[in-house]
C-alpha cells in the first residue's frame, strides 16, 4: 500500500507547515485537512508569488490534486467563498478538486460575536483567540446544537427548526439579546446553493482513494501544543490538532496513516497567551522575530520567540508517533554567535525533562540549555545536507538527540527550492514513492 502521511505541527503552530505540505504534494493525489477553522494561516511562496490559505489545503496550488476539508473542520462559508474567489483571481480553479465534508459544522454569523464576548469575560485570563467564531462553533458542536453542512443543504423546514433552536440558545447566553433567527436562516439558504457542488462523503472518498493506492496526505492546522487535549490547556485551540484528529476529523482508520511528519522550527514561537518556557525578551527575541518575520499570517500579531525546546518536541513526538521532523527556518539562526537547545526545566520542585500537564509547574521554570557554537557561513538556500556549515550540522544532530527523532527535511528558506531532504531518512523513502 502506498504510504499515506500526516503532516502536523510539533510546537505551537506557524512552523511552516504550508511550505512542507506544498513541497510534498506532488507525491500525493489528495490532501485532507482534518481540524481547525479559518484561523489557521498557511503562507506559501511559489516562484515568488505569495499565497495565503486559511481553510483550503495548500495542495490546491498543484493541478490535479484533490483538496479535502474534513468533518473536523468548522467552516465559515463566507471565508471559504472569499478564499475560493481569491484563488480564482490568481488563476487557480477549485471546481472539481475541492471536496467539503457534509458533516463539517458551520460557523454562524454570531459565533464571532460570542468569541469576542467570551474573551472579554475572561479579562486577564484571555486565550488570545483570533475572534473568528471558531471556539463558539466547536462549543455548539459539542453542545449538540451545531448546524452541519448537510443540514444547510437538506430539508428547509428542518433547517429552520435547527436555526431557531441555535439562535434561541445564543439569545440566552447574551444578556438582553433578541437576535432574529430568520435572517440567519435566509443567509444559510443562499450559502447552500454555492456550497452544494463541493460537498460530499469525505470518509468514503478517502477509503476509495486509499483502496486504489492513491496516496493521501493528512494536513494538520495549528499544532500539538495547541491541541485541546494534549496542549497547554486552556491556552489551546478548540480541536484535536494532534494525530488523533486525523481519524475523527476525516473518518479514516488509524491503519490508514502510514507515516507521521512533525514540522518544527529551528527555534520556538508562540502567538497569543500561555506558557512558552524558552521565551526570550531581549534583543535576541527581536532579532529572531525580524529575521524570521514572525508575525501571524491571519492577524499580523507579533509572535513571541525563544530557543528550540526539545522537551516540547520530544513530547510531540510521543503523542503523535512522529517518524521524522521537517526542521524549518534554520537560516533564521545564521550569524548568531551561539545557539541553544532546551533539554529540561528547572522548577521549584526539581528538574524535569517531561512536559508537564499542570501549567503552574511551568510558572517560573528555568530552561536548562545546551549551548553550541553558531555558524557564520549562511545556511540560507542550501540544498544539500553536507553543504551545511559544520556547526549547523552539529546543531541539528544535537537537536535530533534531544528530541528523540531524526530530521528528514531541513528547510533553509521560504521557497520550495530552499530545502534539504536528508539522505536515507524516512522522508527520502516517502519521496521515492509516487
Ligand atoms: P504554517 O501555518 O505552519 O504554515 O506557518 P506560517 O505560514 O504561518 O509561517 C511560516 C512562514 O515561514 C511563512 O511565511 C513561510 O514562507 C516561512 N518559511 C517556511 N519555511 C521557511 C524557512 O526555512 N526559512 C524561512 N526564512 N522562512 C520559512
Amino acid at each position: 500500500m502506498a504510504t499515506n502521511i500526516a503532516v502536523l505541527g510539533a510546537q505551537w503552530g506557524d512552523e511552516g507547515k504550508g511550505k512542507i505540505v506544498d513541497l510534498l504534494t506532488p507525491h500525493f493525489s489528495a490532501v485532507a485537512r482534518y481540524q481547525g477553522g479559518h484561523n489557521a494561516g498557511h503562507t506559501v511562496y511559489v516562484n515568488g508569488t505569495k499565497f495565503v490559505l486559511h481553510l483550503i489545503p495548500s495542495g490546491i496550488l498543484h493541478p490535479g490534486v484533490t483538496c479535502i476539508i474534513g468533518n473536523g473542520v468548522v467552516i465559515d462559508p463566507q471565508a471559504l467563498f472569499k478564499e475560493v474567489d481569491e484563488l480564482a483571481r490568481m488563476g487557480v480553479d477549485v471546481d472539481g478538486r475541492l471536496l467539503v465534508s457534509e458533516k463539517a459544522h458551520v460557523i454562524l454569523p454570531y459565533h464571532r460575536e460570542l468569541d469576542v464576548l467570551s474573551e472579554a469575560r475572561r479579562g486577564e485570563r484571555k486565550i488570545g483567540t483570533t475572534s473568528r467564531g471558531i471556539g463558539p462553533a466547536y462549543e455548539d458542536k459539542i453542545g449538540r446544537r451545531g448546524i452541519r453542512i448537510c443540514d444547510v443543504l437538506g430539508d428547509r423546514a428542518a433547517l429552520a427548526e435547527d436555526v431557531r433552536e441555535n439562535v434561541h440558545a445564543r439569545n440566552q447566553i447574551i444578556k438582553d439579546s433578541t437576535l432574529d433567527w430568520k435572517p440567519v436562516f435566509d443567509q444559510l439558504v443562499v450559502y447552500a446553493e454555492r456550497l452544494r457542488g463541493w460537498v460530499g462523503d469525505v470518509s468514503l472518498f478517502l477509503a476509495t482513494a486509499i483502496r486504489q493506492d492513491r496516496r493521501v496526505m493528512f494536513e494538520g492546522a495549528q499544532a500539538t501544543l495547541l491541541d485541546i487535549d494534549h496542549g497547554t490547556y486552556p491556552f489551546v485551540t478548540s480541536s484535536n490538532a494532534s494525530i488523533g484528529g486525523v481519524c475523527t476529523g476525516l473518518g479514516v482508520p488509524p491503519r490508514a496513516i502510514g507515516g507521521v511528519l512533525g514540522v518544527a522550527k529551528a527555534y520556538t514561537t508562540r502567538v497569543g497567551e500561555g506558557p512558552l518556557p524558552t521565551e526570550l525578551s531581549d534583543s535576541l527575541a527581536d532579532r529572531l522575530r525580524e529575521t524570521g518575520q514572525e508575525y501571524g499570517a491571519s492577524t499580523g500579531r507579533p509572535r513571541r520567540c525563544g530557543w528550540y525546546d526539545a522537551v516540547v518536541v520530544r513530547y510531540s513526538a510521543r503523542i503523535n508517533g512522529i517518524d521524522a521532523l521537517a526542521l524549518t527556518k534554520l537560516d533564521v539562526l545564521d550569524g548568531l554567535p551561539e545557539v541553544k537547545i532546551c533539554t529540561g526545566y528547572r522548577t521549584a520542585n526539581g528538574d524535569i525533562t517531561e512536559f508537564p500537564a499542570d501549567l503552574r509547574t511551568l510558572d517560573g521554570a528555568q530552561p536548562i540549555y545546551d549551548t553550541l557554537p553558531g555558524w557564520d557561513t549562511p545556511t540560507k538556500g542550501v540544498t544539500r545536507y553536507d553543504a551545511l556549515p559544520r556547526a549547523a550540522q552539529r546543531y541539528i544532530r544535537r537537536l535530533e538527540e534531544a528530541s528523540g527523532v531524526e530530521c528528514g527535511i531541513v528547510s533553509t528558506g521560504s521557497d520550495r527550492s530552499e530545502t534539504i531532504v536528508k539522505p536515507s531518512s524516512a522522508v527520502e523513502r516517502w519521496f521515492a514513492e509516487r
Side-chain angles (χ1 to χ4, degrees), residues 324-363:
L325 287 178
L327 188 71
T328 62
K329 297 194 145 182
L330 181 67
D331 54 296
V332 173
L333 303 181
D334 286 353
L336 292 176
E338 55 180 31
V339 283
K340 297 188 186 198
I341 294 171
C342 168
T343 57
Y345 309 132
R346 190 144 291 160
T347 76
N349 299 318
D351 292 355
I352 55 171
T353 53
E354 296 298 335
F355 198 80
D358 181 4
L359 301 191
R360 270 167 282 265
T361 310
L362 288 178
D363 283 347

mmCIF file of all heavy atoms in Angstrom, residues 324-363:
data_model
loop_
_atom_site.group_PDB
_atom_site.id
_atom_site.type_symbol
_atom_site.label_atom_id
_atom_site.label_comp_id
_atom_site.label_asym_id
_atom_site.label_seq_id
_atom_site.Cartn_x
_atom_site.Cartn_y
_atom_site.Cartn_z
ATOM 1 N N ALA A 324 9.602 11.377 11.544
ATOM 2 C CA ALA A 324 10.680 12.278 11.136
ATOM 3 C C ALA A 324 10.212 13.704 11.325
ATOM 4 O O ALA A 324 9.012 13.990 11.294
ATOM 5 C CB ALA A 324 11.026 12.039 9.668
ATOM 6 N N LEU A 325 11.189 14.591 11.522
ATOM 7 C CA LEU A 325 10.873 16.014 11.627
ATOM 8 C C LEU A 325 11.195 16.715 10.318
ATOM 9 O O LEU A 325 12.135 16.336 9.621
ATOM 10 C CB LEU A 325 11.740 16.681 12.706
ATOM 11 C CG LEU A 325 11.459 16.420 14.175
ATOM 12 C CD1 LEU A 325 12.487 17.159 15.020
ATOM 13 C CD2 LEU A 325 10.046 16.887 14.548
ATOM 14 N N ALA A 326 10.417 17.733 10.018
ATOM 15 C CA ALA A 326 10.822 18.699 8.999
ATOM 16 C C ALA A 326 11.247 19.919 9.812
ATOM 17 O O ALA A 326 10.416 20.554 10.469
ATOM 18 C CB ALA A 326 9.662 19.032 8.083
ATOM 19 N N LEU A 327 12.538 20.192 9.829
ATOM 20 C CA LEU A 327 13.066 21.316 10.619
ATOM 21 C C LEU A 327 13.105 22.555 9.719
ATOM 22 O O LEU A 327 13.800 22.545 8.703
ATOM 23 C CB LEU A 327 14.467 20.976 11.125
ATOM 24 C CG LEU A 327 15.054 21.982 12.121
ATOM 25 C CD1 LEU A 327 14.341 21.890 13.472
ATOM 26 C CD2 LEU A 327 16.553 21.748 12.303
ATOM 27 N N THR A 328 12.333 23.562 10.090
ATOM 28 C CA THR A 328 12.229 24.735 9.212
ATOM 29 C C THR A 328 12.994 25.929 9.785
ATOM 30 O O THR A 328 13.329 25.967 10.969
ATOM 31 C CB THR A 328 10.750 25.145 9.027
ATOM 32 O OG1 THR A 328 10.220 25.498 10.296
ATOM 33 C CG2 THR A 328 9.917 24.031 8.411
ATOM 34 N N LYS A 329 13.247 26.881 8.911
ATOM 35 C CA LYS A 329 13.804 28.187 9.293
ATOM 36 C C LYS A 329 15.186 28.113 9.942
ATOM 37 O O LYS A 329 15.523 28.956 10.784
ATOM 38 C CB LYS A 329 12.812 28.923 10.200
ATOM 39 C CG LYS A 329 11.494 29.224 9.468
ATOM 40 C CD LYS A 329 10.664 30.206 10.219
ATOM 41 C CE LYS A 329 9.907 31.127 9.305
ATOM 42 N NZ LYS A 329 9.120 32.126 9.972
ATOM 43 N N LEU A 330 15.952 27.104 9.559
ATOM 44 C CA LEU A 330 17.319 27.015 10.073
ATOM 45 C C LEU A 330 18.082 28.296 9.730
ATOM 46 O O LEU A 330 18.882 28.792 10.518
ATOM 47 C CB LEU A 330 18.019 25.786 9.458
ATOM 48 C CG LEU A 330 19.447 25.551 9.929
ATOM 49 C CD1 LEU A 330 19.486 25.171 11.413
ATOM 50 C CD2 LEU A 330 20.146 24.480 9.094
ATOM 51 N N ASP A 331 17.804 28.839 8.548
ATOM 52 C CA ASP A 331 18.509 30.042 8.066
ATOM 53 C C ASP A 331 18.337 31.242 9.004
ATOM 54 O O ASP A 331 19.173 32.142 9.011
ATOM 55 C CB ASP A 331 18.018 30.409 6.659
ATOM 56 C CG ASP A 331 16.500 30.557 6.594
ATOM 57 O OD1 ASP A 331 15.800 29.556 6.823
ATOM 58 O OD2 ASP A 331 16.018 31.684 6.338
ATOM 59 N N VAL A 332 17.246 31.235 9.781
ATOM 60 C CA VAL A 332 16.989 32.373 10.679
ATOM 61 C C VAL A 332 18.069 32.449 11.767
ATOM 62 O O VAL A 332 18.357 33.523 12.302
ATOM 63 C CB VAL A 332 15.558 32.275 11.279
ATOM 64 C CG1 VAL A 332 15.306 33.332 12.333
ATOM 65 C CG2 VAL A 332 14.519 32.380 10.161
ATOM 66 N N LEU A 333 18.703 31.308 12.053
ATOM 67 C CA LEU A 333 19.750 31.294 13.088
ATOM 68 C C LEU A 333 21.120 31.678 12.529
ATOM 69 O O LEU A 333 22.090 31.801 13.289
ATOM 70 C CB LEU A 333 19.820 29.906 13.747
ATOM 71 C CG LEU A 333 18.533 29.373 14.395
ATOM 72 C CD1 LEU A 333 18.768 28.006 15.027
ATOM 73 C CD2 LEU A 333 18.002 30.342 15.451
ATOM 74 N N ASP A 334 21.215 31.846 11.202
ATOM 75 C CA ASP A 334 22.502 32.195 10.576
ATOM 76 C C ASP A 334 23.108 33.435 11.232
ATOM 77 O O ASP A 334 22.412 34.425 11.470
ATOM 78 C CB ASP A 334 22.318 32.508 9.078
ATOM 79 C CG ASP A 334 22.075 31.258 8.245
ATOM 80 O OD1 ASP A 334 22.182 30.141 8.787
ATOM 81 O OD2 ASP A 334 21.784 31.415 7.036
ATOM 82 N N GLY A 335 24.403 33.345 11.536
ATOM 83 C CA GLY A 335 25.127 34.521 12.019
ATOM 84 C C GLY A 335 25.080 34.728 13.523
ATOM 85 O O GLY A 335 25.719 35.648 14.036
ATOM 86 N N LEU A 336 24.330 33.894 14.242
ATOM 87 C CA LEU A 336 24.306 34.038 15.708
ATOM 88 C C LEU A 336 25.604 33.446 16.275
ATOM 89 O O LEU A 336 26.031 32.380 15.838
ATOM 90 C CB LEU A 336 23.100 33.310 16.314
ATOM 91 C CG LEU A 336 21.714 33.886 15.999
ATOM 92 C CD1 LEU A 336 20.630 32.985 16.582
ATOM 93 C CD2 LEU A 336 21.581 35.295 16.567
ATOM 94 N N PRO A 337 26.218 34.101 17.266
ATOM 95 C CA PRO A 337 27.467 33.575 17.812
ATOM 96 C C PRO A 337 27.279 32.230 18.507
ATOM 97 O O PRO A 337 28.144 31.361 18.447
ATOM 98 C CB PRO A 337 27.908 34.652 18.818
ATOM 99 C CG PRO A 337 26.735 35.551 19.012
ATOM 100 C CD PRO A 337 25.828 35.390 17.841
ATOM 101 N N GLU A 338 26.136 32.036 19.164
ATOM 102 C CA GLU A 338 25.865 30.731 19.765
ATOM 103 C C GLU A 338 24.371 30.412 19.665
ATOM 104 O O GLU A 338 23.545 31.310 19.492
ATOM 105 C CB GLU A 338 26.349 30.668 21.219
ATOM 106 C CG GLU A 338 25.770 31.763 22.090
ATOM 107 C CD GLU A 338 26.249 31.694 23.535
ATOM 108 O OE1 GLU A 338 27.384 31.249 23.777
ATOM 109 O OE2 GLU A 338 25.472 32.093 24.410
ATOM 110 N N VAL A 339 24.083 29.136 19.729
ATOM 111 C CA VAL A 339 22.688 28.686 19.636
ATOM 112 C C VAL A 339 22.404 27.747 20.810
ATOM 113 O O VAL A 339 23.311 27.067 21.291
ATOM 114 C CB VAL A 339 22.406 27.967 18.293
ATOM 115 C CG1 VAL A 339 22.260 28.969 17.162
ATOM 116 C CG2 VAL A 339 23.480 26.953 17.950
ATOM 117 N N LYS A 340 21.142 27.737 21.260
ATOM 118 C CA LYS A 340 20.811 26.943 22.456
ATOM 119 C C LYS A 340 19.657 25.983 22.197
ATOM 120 O O LYS A 340 18.750 26.290 21.422
ATOM 121 C CB LYS A 340 20.434 27.874 23.606
ATOM 122 C CG LYS A 340 21.582 28.767 24.033
ATOM 123 C CD LYS A 340 21.244 29.524 25.290
ATOM 124 C CE LYS A 340 22.374 30.503 25.578
ATOM 125 N NZ LYS A 340 22.372 30.969 26.946
ATOM 126 N N ILE A 341 19.718 24.856 22.892
ATOM 127 C CA ILE A 341 18.649 23.855 22.835
ATOM 128 C C ILE A 341 18.224 23.572 24.271
ATOM 129 O O ILE A 341 19.071 23.235 25.108
ATOM 130 C CB ILE A 341 19.168 22.552 22.174
ATOM 131 C CG1 ILE A 341 19.520 22.815 20.699
ATOM 132 C CG2 ILE A 341 18.143 21.429 22.300
ATOM 133 C CD1 ILE A 341 20.242 21.662 20.020
ATOM 134 N N CYS A 342 16.943 23.692 24.535
ATOM 135 C CA CYS A 342 16.443 23.418 25.884
ATOM 136 C C CYS A 342 16.216 21.914 26.029
ATOM 137 O O CYS A 342 15.531 21.292 25.217
ATOM 138 C CB CYS A 342 15.143 24.189 26.112
ATOM 139 S SG CYS A 342 14.269 23.682 27.591
ATOM 140 N N THR A 343 16.799 21.324 27.078
ATOM 141 C CA THR A 343 16.694 19.869 27.267
ATOM 142 C C THR A 343 15.912 19.493 28.528
ATOM 143 O O THR A 343 15.680 18.328 28.793
ATOM 144 C CB THR A 343 18.099 19.240 27.356
ATOM 145 O OG1 THR A 343 18.797 19.884 28.435
ATOM 146 C CG2 THR A 343 18.874 19.426 26.064
ATOM 147 N N GLY A 344 15.556 20.491 29.338
ATOM 148 C CA GLY A 344 14.797 20.222 30.556
ATOM 149 C C GLY A 344 14.409 21.540 31.215
ATOM 150 O O GLY A 344 14.773 22.613 30.719
ATOM 151 N N TYR A 345 13.645 21.467 32.293
ATOM 152 C CA TYR A 345 13.252 22.683 33.017
ATOM 153 C C TYR A 345 13.651 22.544 34.490
ATOM 154 O O TYR A 345 13.452 21.480 35.094
ATOM 155 C CB TYR A 345 11.732 22.911 32.960
ATOM 156 C CG TYR A 345 11.117 22.858 31.580
ATOM 157 C CD1 TYR A 345 9.968 22.093 31.350
ATOM 158 C CD2 TYR A 345 11.657 23.589 30.520
ATOM 159 C CE1 TYR A 345 9.382 22.039 30.092
ATOM 160 C CE2 TYR A 345 11.068 23.537 29.250
ATOM 161 C CZ TYR A 345 9.942 22.764 29.048
ATOM 162 O OH TYR A 345 9.359 22.717 27.810
ATOM 163 N N ARG A 346 14.185 23.623 35.026
ATOM 164 C CA ARG A 346 14.468 23.681 36.470
ATOM 165 C C ARG A 346 13.232 24.295 37.138
ATOM 166 O O ARG A 346 12.889 25.440 36.856
ATOM 167 C CB ARG A 346 15.711 24.545 36.680
ATOM 168 C CG ARG A 346 16.273 24.522 38.060
ATOM 169 C CD ARG A 346 17.792 24.581 38.042
ATOM 170 N NE ARG A 346 18.346 23.340 37.515
ATOM 171 C CZ ARG A 346 19.584 23.222 37.025
ATOM 172 N NH1 ARG A 346 20.374 24.273 36.947
ATOM 173 N NH2 ARG A 346 20.017 22.056 36.583
ATOM 174 N N THR A 347 12.546 23.522 37.962
ATOM 175 C CA THR A 347 11.324 24.033 38.593
ATOM 176 C C THR A 347 11.504 24.081 40.108
ATOM 177 O O THR A 347 12.499 23.552 40.635
ATOM 178 C CB THR A 347 10.100 23.131 38.291
ATOM 179 O OG1 THR A 347 10.195 21.959 39.103
ATOM 180 C CG2 THR A 347 10.029 22.723 36.837
ATOM 181 N N ALA A 348 10.517 24.670 40.777
ATOM 182 C CA ALA A 348 10.567 24.773 42.238
ATOM 183 C C ALA A 348 10.646 23.384 42.872
ATOM 184 O O ALA A 348 11.175 23.216 43.967
ATOM 185 C CB ALA A 348 9.325 25.509 42.730
ATOM 186 N N ASN A 349 10.138 22.384 42.164
ATOM 187 C CA ASN A 349 10.154 21.018 42.708
ATOM 188 C C ASN A 349 11.221 20.131 42.082
ATOM 189 O O ASN A 349 11.056 18.915 41.995
ATOM 190 C CB ASN A 349 8.774 20.369 42.510
ATOM 191 C CG ASN A 349 7.700 21.132 43.236
ATOM 192 O OD1 ASN A 349 7.901 21.556 44.371
ATOM 193 N ND2 ASN A 349 6.581 21.351 42.573
ATOM 194 N N GLY A 350 12.252 20.751 41.572
ATOM 195 C CA GLY A 350 13.340 19.970 40.981
ATOM 196 C C GLY A 350 13.345 20.029 39.461
ATOM 197 O O GLY A 350 12.458 20.652 38.856
ATOM 198 N N ASP A 351 14.344 19.382 38.857
ATOM 199 C CA ASP A 351 14.475 19.406 37.394
ATOM 200 C C ASP A 351 13.525 18.398 36.763
ATOM 201 O O ASP A 351 13.343 17.301 37.290
ATOM 202 C CB ASP A 351 15.910 19.057 36.987
ATOM 203 C CG ASP A 351 16.887 20.140 37.409
ATOM 204 O OD1 ASP A 351 16.428 21.182 37.924
ATOM 205 O OD2 ASP A 351 18.098 19.945 37.227
ATOM 206 N N ILE A 352 12.921 18.796 35.644
ATOM 207 C CA ILE A 352 12.053 17.856 34.926
ATOM 208 C C ILE A 352 12.457 17.806 33.453
ATOM 209 O O ILE A 352 12.977 18.783 32.914
ATOM 210 C CB ILE A 352 10.545 18.211 35.051
ATOM 211 C CG1 ILE A 352 10.266 19.664 34.590
ATOM 212 C CG2 ILE A 352 10.034 18.002 36.452
ATOM 213 C CD1 ILE A 352 8.783 19.986 34.476
ATOM 214 N N THR A 353 12.214 16.662 32.828
ATOM 215 C CA THR A 353 12.540 16.526 31.407
ATOM 216 C C THR A 353 11.328 16.113 30.582
ATOM 217 O O THR A 353 11.417 15.937 29.387
ATOM 218 C CB THR A 353 13.663 15.489 31.184
ATOM 219 O OG1 THR A 353 13.273 14.278 31.830
ATOM 220 C CG2 THR A 353 14.991 15.971 31.746
ATOM 221 N N GLU A 354 10.182 15.922 31.248
ATOM 222 C CA GLU A 354 8.953 15.619 30.512
ATOM 223 C C GLU A 354 8.016 16.819 30.619
ATOM 224 O O GLU A 354 7.926 17.436 31.678
ATOM 225 C CB GLU A 354 8.253 14.371 31.072
ATOM 226 C CG GLU A 354 9.055 13.080 30.941
ATOM 227 C CD GLU A 354 9.357 12.687 29.499
ATOM 228 O OE1 GLU A 354 8.603 13.084 28.582
ATOM 229 O OE2 GLU A 354 10.368 11.976 29.289
ATOM 230 N N PHE A 355 7.297 17.122 29.550
ATOM 231 C CA PHE A 355 6.430 18.296 29.537
ATOM 232 C C PHE A 355 5.268 18.091 30.516
ATOM 233 O O PHE A 355 4.536 17.111 30.410
ATOM 234 C CB PHE A 355 5.908 18.569 28.121
ATOM 235 C CG PHE A 355 5.395 19.962 27.976
ATOM 236 C CD1 PHE A 355 6.280 21.017 27.775
ATOM 237 C CD2 PHE A 355 4.048 20.249 28.092
ATOM 238 C CE1 PHE A 355 5.828 22.317 27.679
ATOM 239 C CE2 PHE A 355 3.584 21.551 27.998
ATOM 240 C CZ PHE A 355 4.476 22.582 27.782
ATOM 241 N N PRO A 356 5.072 19.021 31.471
ATOM 242 C CA PRO A 356 4.047 18.814 32.492
ATOM 243 C C PRO A 356 2.641 19.184 32.018
ATOM 244 O O PRO A 356 2.483 20.016 31.123
ATOM 245 C CB PRO A 356 4.485 19.760 33.611
ATOM 246 C CG PRO A 356 5.191 20.871 32.905
ATOM 247 C CD PRO A 356 5.806 20.284 31.667
ATOM 248 N N ALA A 357 1.635 18.581 32.644
ATOM 249 C CA ALA A 357 0.241 18.897 32.320
ATOM 250 C C ALA A 357 -0.195 20.176 33.044
ATOM 251 O O ALA A 357 -0.894 21.016 32.482
ATOM 252 C CB ALA A 357 -0.658 17.745 32.742
ATOM 253 N N ASP A 358 0.268 20.311 34.299
ATOM 254 C CA ASP A 358 -0.158 21.437 35.126
ATOM 255 C C ASP A 358 0.711 22.651 34.808
ATOM 256 O O ASP A 358 1.924 22.643 35.042
ATOM 257 C CB ASP A 358 -0.001 21.039 36.606
ATOM 258 C CG ASP A 358 -0.447 22.163 37.532
ATOM 259 O OD1 ASP A 358 -0.942 23.189 37.016
ATOM 260 O OD2 ASP A 358 -0.296 22.002 38.753
ATOM 261 N N LEU A 359 0.070 23.681 34.278
ATOM 262 C CA LEU A 359 0.838 24.843 33.821
ATOM 263 C C LEU A 359 1.539 25.563 34.961
ATOM 264 O O LEU A 359 2.535 26.247 34.757
ATOM 265 C CB LEU A 359 -0.063 25.819 33.062
ATOM 266 C CG LEU A 359 -0.749 25.246 31.824
ATOM 267 C CD1 LEU A 359 -1.386 26.355 31.015
ATOM 268 C CD2 LEU A 359 0.209 24.446 30.960
ATOM 269 N N ARG A 360 1.031 25.388 36.183
ATOM 270 C CA ARG A 360 1.677 26.049 37.330
ATOM 271 C C ARG A 360 3.102 25.537 37.532
ATOM 272 O O ARG A 360 3.970 26.250 38.015
ATOM 273 C CB ARG A 360 0.842 25.856 38.601
ATOM 274 C CG ARG A 360 -0.181 26.978 38.772
ATOM 275 C CD ARG A 360 -1.207 26.626 39.837
ATOM 276 N NE ARG A 360 -2.186 25.695 39.283
ATOM 277 C CZ ARG A 360 -3.351 26.075 38.764
ATOM 278 N NH1 ARG A 360 -3.690 27.335 38.751
ATOM 279 N NH2 ARG A 360 -4.182 25.189 38.264
ATOM 280 N N THR A 361 3.329 24.279 37.114
ATOM 281 C CA THR A 361 4.682 23.721 37.208
ATOM 282 C C THR A 361 5.648 24.537 36.339
ATOM 283 O O THR A 361 6.831 24.653 36.638
ATOM 284 C CB THR A 361 4.672 22.241 36.746
ATOM 285 O OG1 THR A 361 3.632 21.571 37.442
ATOM 286 C CG2 THR A 361 5.996 21.551 36.998
ATOM 287 N N LEU A 362 5.105 25.081 35.252
ATOM 288 C CA LEU A 362 5.964 25.841 34.335
ATOM 289 C C LEU A 362 6.194 27.280 34.806
ATOM 290 O O LEU A 362 7.131 27.932 34.354
ATOM 291 C CB LEU A 362 5.342 25.893 32.935
ATOM 292 C CG LEU A 362 5.357 24.597 32.124
ATOM 293 C CD1 LEU A 362 4.667 24.819 30.791
ATOM 294 C CD2 LEU A 362 6.772 24.099 31.901
ATOM 295 N N ASP A 363 5.335 27.753 35.720
ATOM 296 C CA ASP A 363 5.499 29.123 36.206
ATOM 297 C C ASP A 363 6.858 29.252 36.865
ATOM 298 O O ASP A 363 7.171 28.526 37.810
ATOM 299 C CB ASP A 363 4.402 29.475 37.237
ATOM 300 C CG ASP A 363 3.073 29.759 36.553
ATOM 301 O OD1 ASP A 363 3.087 29.924 35.318
ATOM 302 O OD2 ASP A 363 2.036 29.791 37.249
#
